Amino acid sequence: MTSFNYHFRPSVRKGRNKGSIFLRVIHQRRAFSLSMRLYVYAEEWEECSGSVIVPHSSSKRYPALRSVQDSLDSTVMQLERIISLLSRQGVYTVEDIRSELLKHSGSEMLSDFIDSVTAAIGGKQPRTARAYRSTYNSLMGFTGGKDVTLSGIDSRLVESYERYLEDKGLHKNTISFYMRNLRAVYNRAVKSNLIGQRRENPFSNVYTGITSTGKKALDAGQIKSLALLDPSIIDRGHTPREGLPSSLRDCLAMFLFCFLAQGMSFVDMVYLRKDSIAKGTLRYRRKKTGQYIEVAVCREMQSIIRYFAPRTKGSDYLFPVIDGTGKPDRLQYESALRLQNLRLKKLGILAGNIGAITTHAARHSWATIAKNELVDVSVISEALGHKSEKTTRIYLGSFKRKLLDKANERIRRAIKKAV
């Protein structure tokens, strides 16, 4: 069964401004929205019937409003014919309806396509959906809020958009982020046959790579300086240091845990469950690669786990980040990641102006210190945490686990002397 209705989207601008009309089609519990590119004032629209309130023919607004309603009626007739035709052909999807409708109504607007794509992938790929939405909002800043058609995404638009982002002083990787997402949306439109594949790629002359940012690795002395901010976190024999806010103590504890757990990624730490630990060994799969990893739980890691234990009673997780509030787990993680990075900057200042620290520093620092401790490069890999890590872990084999544990023990001793 297919249902469809017109709806009104009020203007977000202040004052009396026209809103837009869009069509909403639902088929087999899947839906899409299509902007009609028709505009009326709020008082000229009746939401219950999904139609324009056409005034008396003597009104100045009569010709315009009559024309709008006629366009809406025409689209309905067209849509009914499409559904009837598809029904006779057999099984069809909501994408089939949208594709056929667009063939008759002209080029689809980028906003409509973004709405359709994000609705389809939002449940399984929320970060990708938000990235597409963020890119669209950025592009609207460039166009001054004027929507563009999918067919309007050409080299001239893309290159002008890149210059606009450069003029704003954005980092090269940030510009690449927007370009890669816009390219992904464009490719989806081509694949859906909404626009034809151009002879020349619109993105061939813009930067879509990733520039190395020279991620900061802390040396053993700097890790010591951080640990000294509150030695009680990794050694319960100490009295908690006064003056350090609880939020920064939490941040420090999580950072040190990631470091001690062989440079564990923050996302993997957040999702650790209590049943991940058995017989003194922490076992988990990396979110990024799916690689299975084992880490010996040292005394300092146990201390950090006990530090958070009062706040994780009744929870399956080791750390108090994901709770039972009903908020999506991924959003809770992303919020925690932002806070962690903000607080790490403050800790860097308190520890003697170490400089900007991020969650990745725990991972990068462990690998760097391990290398400085003369641990074999084949054991730790200079590309720890990136694509080659999976290959490296497979190459290591189970017998290399002892080498990793020994390396971790040497690194622990490097900071233990300070506490």
Side-chain angles (χ1 to χ4, degrees):
M1 172 116 183
T2 304
S3 63
F4 49 88
N5 290 286
Y6 287 116
H7 298 279
F8 177 76
R9 184 181 290 119
S11 172
V12 296
R13 293 180 296 173
K14 293 183 179 180
R16 185 172 178 270
N17 295 287
K18 293 178 181 179
S20 59
I21 301 171
F22 67 94
L23 175 67
R24 184 73 168 169
V25 179
I26 303 174
H27 177 69
Q28 295 178 338
R29 298 184 181 180
R30 298 288 300 276
F32 73 86
S33 297
L34 179 67
S35 173
M36 301 307 298
R37 283 174 274 174
L38 297 170
Y39 307 90
V40 297
Y41 292 107
E43 65 271 18
E44 297 173 335
W45 180 259
E46 187 177 78
E47 186 65 23
C48 291
S49 61
S51 61
V52 176
I53 300 175
V54 181
H56 189 272
S57 58
S58 61
S59 170
K60 290 183 179 179
R61 288 285 293 159
Y62 175 81
L65 293 176
R66 181 70 267 170
S67 176
V68 170
Q69 186 58 50
D70 288 344
S71 294
L72 297 180
D73 292 341
S74 175
T75 300
V76 166
M77 294 175 62
Q78 195 173 78
L79 184 55
E80 289 175 341
R81 285 195 296 269
I82 290 171
I83 293 173
S84 177
L85 176 62
L86 290 174
S87 298
R88 290 196 297 272
Q89 293 176 350
V91 179
Y92 60 96
T93 67
V94 72
E95 287 299 318
D96 294 328
I97 300 173
R98 184 167 67 96
S99 180
E100 288 298 319
L101 186 60
L102 289 172
K103 287 179 182 178
H104 297 86
S105 61
S107 297
E108 182 174 7
M109 303 304 292
L110 178 60
S111 60
D112 294 324
F113 188 63
I114 291 287
D115 286 343
S116 176
V117 171
T118 54
I121 69 173
K124 296 180 180 179
Q125 300 172 279
R127 292 189 69 183
T128 302
R130 287 195 292 276
Y132 288 170
R133 180 65 61 188
S134 176
T135 299
Y136 173 77
N137 291 337
S138 171
L139 183 63
M140 288 304 97
F142 163 64
T143 64
K146 185 178 180 181
D147 204 359
V148 298
T149 62
L150 291 175
S151 59
I153 302 177
D154 55 19
S155 57
R156 178 179 297 181
L157 173 77
V158 172
E159 290 169 23
S160 296
Y161 177 41
E162 183 185 46
R163 287 194 295 272
Y164 161 80
L165 295 174
E166 291 172 343
D167 291 343
K168 289 185 66 177
L170 297 186
H171 190 276
K172 200 169 185 179
N173 284 346
T174 303
I175 296 174
S176 177
F177 166 81
Y178 289 129
M179 290 297 155
R180 285 183 282 115
N181 281 299
L182 185 58
R183 182 180 62 185
V185 170
Y186 172 83
N187 289 337
R188 281 177 178 269
V190 171
K191 188 175 181 180
S192 299
N193 295 318
L194 297 177
I195 51 177
Q197 180 70 60
R198 291 190 173 88
R199 182 175 301 176
E200 182 180 352
N201 183 353
F203 298 86
S204 59
N205 294 322
V206 297
Y207 182 69
T208 56
I210 298 178
T211 302
S212 174
T213 56
K215 295 186 182 299
K216 184 177 181 62
L218 308 182
D219 58 33
Q222 291 171 322
I223 294 291
K224 290 179 184 178
S225 297
L226 284 171
L228 279 172
L229 291 175
D230 193 338
S232 69
I233 290 175
I234 58 175
D235 189 340
R236 307 306 286 172
H238 288 76
T239 301
R241 188 69 56 84
E242 294 184 4
L244 192 66
S246 60
S247 60
L248 292 187
R249 293 185 78 236
D250 289 355
C251 173
L252 178 58
M254 291 181 183
F255 179 84
L256 291 175
F257 186 91
C258 288
F259 174 80
L260 291 165
Q262 294 175 192
M264 178 182 288
S265 292
F266 184 72
V267 64
D268 292 325
M269 184 217 73
V270 168
Y271 283 92
L272 283 180
R273 292 178 175 272
K274 293 175 181 176
D275 59 9
S276 300
I277 297 179
K279 297 181 180 180
T281 300
L282 173 62
R283 298 175 176 87
Y284 70 98
R285 288 191 181 278
R286 285 213 63 206
K287 285 283 185 181
K288 184 175 182 180
T289 64
Q291 184 65 29
Y292 184 73
I293 295 178
E294 292 186 354
V295 180
V297 180
C298 63
R299 182 172 59 83
E300 290 81 3
M301 290 168 65
Q302 291 173 343
S303 179
I304 294 172
I305 292 171
R306 286 195 295 270
Y307 168 78
F308 287 110
R311 282 178 280 166
T312 60
K313 289 181 178 179
S315 172
D316 293 330
Y317 295 98
L318 273 177
F319 294 89
V321 175
I322 299 175
D323 54 34
T325 59
K327 187 177 181 181
D329 293 354
R330 188 75 197 186
L331 292 182
Q332 292 187 69
Y333 153 68
E334 291 175 355
S335 177
L337 177 63
R338 287 191 292 271
L339 284 174
Q340 183 76 353
N341 281 322
L342 286 172
R343 291 165 180 169
L344 281 173
K345 291 180 181 179
K346 296 179 181 179
L347 287 176
I349 295 173
L350 292 175
N353 287 316
I354 289 176
I357 309 173
T358 66
T359 54
H360 188 80
R363 190 166 184 77
H364 196 53
S365 300
W366 187 91
T368 302
I369 295 173
K371 184 180 178 182
N372 292 338
E373 289 289 321
L374 304 180
V375 177
D376 194 282
V377 175
S378 66
V379 177
I380 58 171
S381 173
E382 290 193 79
L384 187 66
H386 298 98
K387 290 182 179 180
S388 62
E389 180 185 346
K390 185 174 182 179
T391 303
T392 302
R393 291 284 185 176
I394 294 172
Y395 167 74
L396 295 180
S398 59
F399 75 97
K400 292 279 186 160
R401 158 79 190 283
K402 292 182 179 179
L403 292 179
L404 285 171
D405 289 344
K406 287 181 180 178
N408 222 18
E409 180 61 29
R410 270 190 270 176
I411 295 168
R412 281 176 57 223
R413 287 199 294 268
I415 66 169
K416 186 178 179 181
K417 294 175 183 178
V419 297

Short mmCIF file of all heavy atoms in Angstrom, two decimals, residues 366-367 370-382 392 395-396 400 403-404 407 410:
data_model
loop_
_atom_site.label_atom_id
_atom_site.label_comp_id
_atom_site.label_asym_id
_atom_site.label_seq_id
_atom_site.Cartn_x
_atom_site.Cartn_y
_atom_site.Cartn_z
N TRP A 366 52.19 5.06 23.50
CA TRP A 366 52.60 3.70 23.87
C TRP A 366 53.51 3.11 22.79
O TRP A 366 54.56 2.52 23.09
CB TRP A 366 51.37 2.81 24.05
CG TRP A 366 51.73 1.46 24.60
CD1 TRP A 366 51.79 1.10 25.90
CD2 TRP A 366 52.13 0.31 23.83
NE1 TRP A 366 52.21 -0.22 26.01
CE2 TRP A 366 52.43 -0.72 24.76
CE3 TRP A 366 52.28 0.05 22.47
CZ2 TRP A 366 52.84 -1.99 24.36
CZ3 TRP A 366 52.71 -1.21 22.07
CH2 TRP A 366 52.98 -2.21 23.00
N ALA A 367 53.12 3.26 21.54
CA ALA A 367 53.92 2.71 20.45
C ALA A 367 55.30 3.36 20.38
O ALA A 367 56.32 2.69 20.17
CB ALA A 367 53.18 2.90 19.13
N ALA A 370 57.42 2.31 23.42
CA ALA A 370 57.83 0.91 23.22
C ALA A 370 59.01 0.83 22.25
O ALA A 370 59.96 0.06 22.46
CB ALA A 370 56.65 0.10 22.70
N LYS A 371 58.95 1.63 21.20
CA LYS A 371 60.06 1.63 20.24
C LYS A 371 61.34 2.16 20.88
O LYS A 371 62.43 1.61 20.68
CB LYS A 371 59.68 2.49 19.04
CG LYS A 371 60.73 2.50 17.94
CD LYS A 371 60.31 3.37 16.78
CE LYS A 371 61.40 3.40 15.71
NZ LYS A 371 61.03 4.28 14.58
N ASN A 372 61.19 3.23 21.70
CA ASN A 372 62.35 3.78 22.39
C ASN A 372 62.93 2.81 23.42
O ASN A 372 64.11 2.89 23.76
CB ASN A 372 61.98 5.10 23.08
CG ASN A 372 61.66 6.20 22.09
OD1 ASN A 372 62.09 6.13 20.93
ND2 ASN A 372 60.92 7.20 22.51
N GLU A 373 62.08 1.91 23.90
CA GLU A 373 62.53 0.89 24.85
C GLU A 373 63.14 -0.31 24.12
O GLU A 373 63.37 -1.36 24.70
CB GLU A 373 61.35 0.43 25.71
CG GLU A 373 60.87 1.45 26.71
CD GLU A 373 61.87 1.65 27.86
OE1 GLU A 373 62.46 0.66 28.31
OE2 GLU A 373 62.05 2.81 28.27
N LEU A 374 63.34 -0.14 22.80
CA LEU A 374 63.98 -1.15 21.95
C LEU A 374 63.13 -2.41 21.76
O LEU A 374 63.67 -3.50 21.51
CB LEU A 374 65.36 -1.53 22.50
CG LEU A 374 66.35 -0.36 22.68
CD1 LEU A 374 67.68 -0.87 23.22
CD2 LEU A 374 66.54 0.39 21.37
N VAL A 375 61.82 -2.24 21.87
CA VAL A 375 60.93 -3.35 21.53
C VAL A 375 60.95 -3.49 20.02
O VAL A 375 60.91 -2.50 19.29
CB VAL A 375 59.50 -3.07 22.03
CG1 VAL A 375 58.56 -4.20 21.61
CG2 VAL A 375 59.49 -2.89 23.54
N ASP A 376 61.02 -4.73 19.54
CA ASP A 376 61.11 -4.98 18.11
C ASP A 376 59.96 -4.31 17.36
O ASP A 376 58.80 -4.41 17.75
CB ASP A 376 61.08 -6.49 17.85
CG ASP A 376 61.52 -6.81 16.43
OD1 ASP A 376 60.69 -6.64 15.52
OD2 ASP A 376 62.67 -7.24 16.24
N VAL A 377 60.31 -3.62 16.28
CA VAL A 377 59.30 -2.91 15.49
C VAL A 377 58.25 -3.86 14.95
O VAL A 377 57.08 -3.50 14.80
CB VAL A 377 59.97 -2.13 14.32
CG1 VAL A 377 58.91 -1.49 13.43
CG2 VAL A 377 60.89 -1.07 14.87
N SER A 378 58.64 -5.09 14.65
CA SER A 378 57.67 -6.05 14.15
C SER A 378 56.61 -6.39 15.19
O SER A 378 55.54 -6.86 14.86
CB SER A 378 58.37 -7.33 13.69
OG SER A 378 58.94 -8.01 14.79
N VAL A 379 56.92 -6.12 16.46
CA VAL A 379 55.97 -6.43 17.54
C VAL A 379 54.96 -5.31 17.70
O VAL A 379 53.78 -5.53 17.93
CB VAL A 379 56.72 -6.67 18.88
CG1 VAL A 379 55.73 -6.92 20.01
CG2 VAL A 379 57.66 -7.85 18.74
N ILE A 380 55.40 -4.09 17.63
CA ILE A 380 54.49 -2.97 17.89
C ILE A 380 53.99 -2.28 16.62
O ILE A 380 52.87 -1.75 16.61
CB ILE A 380 55.17 -1.93 18.80
CG1 ILE A 380 56.47 -1.42 18.16
CG2 ILE A 380 55.42 -2.50 20.17
CD1 ILE A 380 57.09 -0.25 18.89
N SER A 381 54.83 -2.26 15.58
CA SER A 381 54.51 -1.64 14.29
C SER A 381 54.35 -0.13 14.41
O SER A 381 53.63 0.40 15.25
CB SER A 381 53.21 -2.21 13.70
OG SER A 381 52.84 -1.49 12.55
N GLU A 382 55.07 0.58 13.57
CA GLU A 382 55.00 2.04 13.59
C GLU A 382 53.63 2.54 13.12
O GLU A 382 53.28 3.69 13.36
CB GLU A 382 56.10 2.63 12.70
CG GLU A 382 57.49 2.44 13.28
CD GLU A 382 58.51 3.28 12.55
OE1 GLU A 382 58.57 4.48 12.83
OE2 GLU A 382 59.21 2.72 11.71
N THR A 392 49.73 -6.70 11.05
CA THR A 392 50.77 -6.83 12.06
C THR A 392 50.35 -7.81 13.15
O THR A 392 51.12 -8.67 13.57
CB THR A 392 51.09 -5.46 12.69
OG1 THR A 392 51.49 -4.57 11.65
CG2 THR A 392 52.22 -5.58 13.70
N TYR A 395 50.50 -11.29 11.95
CA TYR A 395 51.90 -11.71 11.80
C TYR A 395 52.52 -12.08 13.14
O TYR A 395 53.28 -13.03 13.26
CB TYR A 395 52.70 -10.57 11.15
CG TYR A 395 54.19 -10.77 11.21
CD1 TYR A 395 54.81 -11.70 10.39
CD2 TYR A 395 54.97 -10.03 12.10
CE1 TYR A 395 56.19 -11.87 10.44
CE2 TYR A 395 56.33 -10.21 12.16
CZ TYR A 395 56.94 -11.13 11.33
OH TYR A 395 58.29 -11.31 11.39
N LEU A 396 52.14 -11.30 14.19
CA LEU A 396 52.72 -11.55 15.51
C LEU A 396 52.44 -12.96 15.99
O LEU A 396 53.32 -13.63 16.51
CB LEU A 396 52.14 -10.55 16.53
CG LEU A 396 52.49 -9.07 16.31
CD1 LEU A 396 51.85 -8.23 17.38
CD2 LEU A 396 53.99 -8.88 16.31
N LYS A 400 53.84 -14.09 20.27
CA LYS A 400 54.35 -12.74 20.46
C LYS A 400 53.61 -12.01 21.58
O LYS A 400 54.00 -10.92 21.97
CB LYS A 400 54.19 -11.94 19.16
CG LYS A 400 55.08 -12.43 18.03
CD LYS A 400 56.49 -11.90 18.17
CE LYS A 400 57.31 -12.29 16.96
NZ LYS A 400 58.49 -11.47 16.78
N LEU A 403 55.80 -11.05 24.33
CA LEU A 403 56.65 -9.89 24.05
C LEU A 403 55.91 -8.60 24.32
O LEU A 403 56.47 -7.64 24.85
CB LEU A 403 57.15 -9.95 22.61
CG LEU A 403 58.13 -11.08 22.25
CD1 LEU A 403 58.49 -10.99 20.78
CD2 LEU A 403 59.37 -11.01 23.13
N LEU A 404 54.63 -8.57 23.92
CA LEU A 404 53.81 -7.38 24.15
C LEU A 404 53.64 -7.14 25.65
O LEU A 404 53.70 -6.00 26.13
CB LEU A 404 52.45 -7.53 23.47
CG LEU A 404 52.46 -7.36 21.95
CD1 LEU A 404 51.09 -7.74 21.38
CD2 LEU A 404 52.78 -5.93 21.58
N ALA A 407 56.80 -5.80 27.00
CA ALA A 407 56.95 -4.40 26.60
C ALA A 407 56.08 -3.52 27.48
O ALA A 407 56.51 -2.44 27.94
CB ALA A 407 56.54 -4.24 25.14
N ARG A 410 57.70 -3.01 30.86
CA ARG A 410 58.79 -2.04 30.83
C ARG A 410 58.25 -0.61 30.82
O ARG A 410 58.78 0.28 31.48
CB ARG A 410 59.65 -2.26 29.58
CG ARG A 410 60.80 -3.24 29.80
CD ARG A 410 61.74 -3.22 28.62
NE ARG A 410 61.35 -4.20 27.63
CZ ARG A 410 61.96 -4.35 26.46
NH1 ARG A 410 62.97 -3.56 26.14
NH2 ARG A 410 61.56 -5.26 25.61
#
